[in-house]
């Protein structure tokens, strides 16, 4: 235990008083989450490497270990998944507890993997944390694909829908879409257009423009 604590503080470089307080907090986290100290120390070290303060590390540590218990991810992956979600939606001002407390309709592991891949791209496209959560959940329920696959798909979809050339081609096919729309508004515009198009070739072309050949299944599930 002392060896692990010394390793962690070699990253923090905290004073004795600061680190004693942190040490007490991580023992408390281990007790409250039912995790072995080695697991807690692994998560603490990973957070420390991200340049967080001892105080902020203690806050995120508990949330990460809760995610470990409900998702099956190890401590290191839980820390990275949580960090990706927080950093991916910086404008939303989310904290670790808000993310972990979300009532997931699919596995926490799949959501963590999806957010780590699509979070920042989604935010750039004006998609909120809750909206991406809903999209990933809906698509997984319809396609049974894993979080990593869905996350990469949405990363591709939101990127394509921000391109001026894609928007112009979609307009030519009858989609009421423009660059000022958010990613969800653009998906909604695609859905509305498809409802009124009887030619399956045109429908397929719209979906292909939105997601590319390899993401058509995810596009279809999202539009539904």
């Amino acid at each position: 235990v002392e060896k692990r604590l010394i390793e962690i503080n070699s990253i923090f470089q905290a004073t004795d008083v600061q680190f004693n307080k942190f040490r007490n907090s991580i023992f408390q986290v281990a007790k409250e989450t039912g995790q072995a100290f080695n697991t807690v120390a692994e998560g603490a070290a990973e957070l420390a490497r991200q340049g967080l303060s001892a105080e902020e590390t203690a806050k995120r540590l508990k949330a990460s270990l809760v995610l470990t218990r409900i998702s099956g991810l190890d401590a290191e992956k839980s820390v990275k998944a949580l960090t990706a979600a927080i950093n991916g939606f910086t404008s939303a001002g989310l904290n670790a507890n808000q993310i972990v407390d979300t009532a997931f309709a699919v596995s926490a592991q799949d959501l963590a993997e999806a957010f780590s891949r699509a979070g920042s791209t989604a935010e750039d496209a004006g998609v909120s944390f809750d909206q991406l959560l809903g999209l990933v959940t809906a698509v997984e329920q319809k396609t049974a694909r894993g979080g990593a696959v869905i996350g990469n798909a949405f990363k591709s979809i939101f990127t394509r829908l921000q391109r001026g050339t894609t928007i112009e081609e979609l307009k030519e096919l009858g989609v009421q879409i423009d660059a000022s729309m958010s990613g969800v508004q653009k998906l909604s515009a695609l859905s509305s257009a498809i409802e009124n198009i009887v030619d399956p070739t045109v429908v397929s072309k719209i979906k292909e423009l939105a997601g590319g050949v390899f993401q058509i299944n995810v596009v279809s599930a999202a539009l539904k």
Side-chain angles (χ1 to χ4, degrees), residues 92-103:
L94 296 169
N95 64 47
N97 289 332
Q98 285 174 303
I99 293 169
V100 174
D101 287 345
T102 305

Side-chain angles (χ1 to χ4, degrees), residues 42-52 57 60-61 64 79 83:
E42 181 184 346
E46 183 60 34
L47 284 165
R49 291 187 194 100
Q50 295 176 14
L52 299 175
T57 292
R60 288 199 196 181
L61 183 59
S64 298
V79 166
T83 301

Side-chain angles (χ1 to χ4, degrees), residues 77-114:
K77 289 181 179 178
S78 290
V79 166
K80 288 180 177 178
L82 200 59
T83 301
I86 291 171
N87 293 344
F89 287 89
T90 50
S91 65
L94 296 169
N95 64 47
N97 289 332
Q98 285 174 303
I99 293 169
V100 174
D101 287 345
T102 305
F104 295 156
V106 296
S107 83
Q109 180 173 350
D110 280 327
L111 284 164
E113 290 176 346

Side-chain angles (χ1 to χ4, degrees), residues 115-149:
F115 272 73
S116 67
R117 287 163 173 79
S120 59
T121 305
E123 185 176 48
D124 289 344
V127 178
S128 72
F129 176 82
D130 287 340
Q131 287 172 331
L132 183 57
L133 176 68
L135 287 168
V136 172
T137 300
V139 168
E140 179 159 347
Q141 289 174 336
K142 287 183 177 294
T143 66
R145 305 300 298 272
V149 173

Side-chain angles (χ1 to χ4, degrees), residues 164-179:
T165 53
T166 301
I167 291 172
E168 290 305 314
E169 289 184 66
L170 287 169
K171 283 181 178 179
E172 291 173 6
L173 294 173
V175 180
Q176 300 298 311
I177 188 172
D178 65 69

Side-chain angles (χ1 to χ4, degrees), residues 89 114 117-128 131-133 135-136 150-163 166-167 181-188 209-211 215 219 222:
F89 287 89
R117 287 163 173 79
S120 59
T121 305
E123 185 176 48
D124 289 344
V127 178
S128 72
Q131 287 172 331
L132 183 57
L133 176 68
L135 287 168
V136 172
I150 294 172
N152 283 329
F154 275 118
K155 181 178 179 180
S156 175
I157 290 165
F158 292 136
T159 299
R160 292 175 71 91
L161 289 177
Q162 290 184 83
R163 294 175 186 163
T166 301
I167 291 172
M181 291 177 168
S182 70
V184 171
Q185 289 172 328
K186 288 172 182 173
L187 288 174
S188 181
L209 281 169
Q215 314 298 353
V219 172

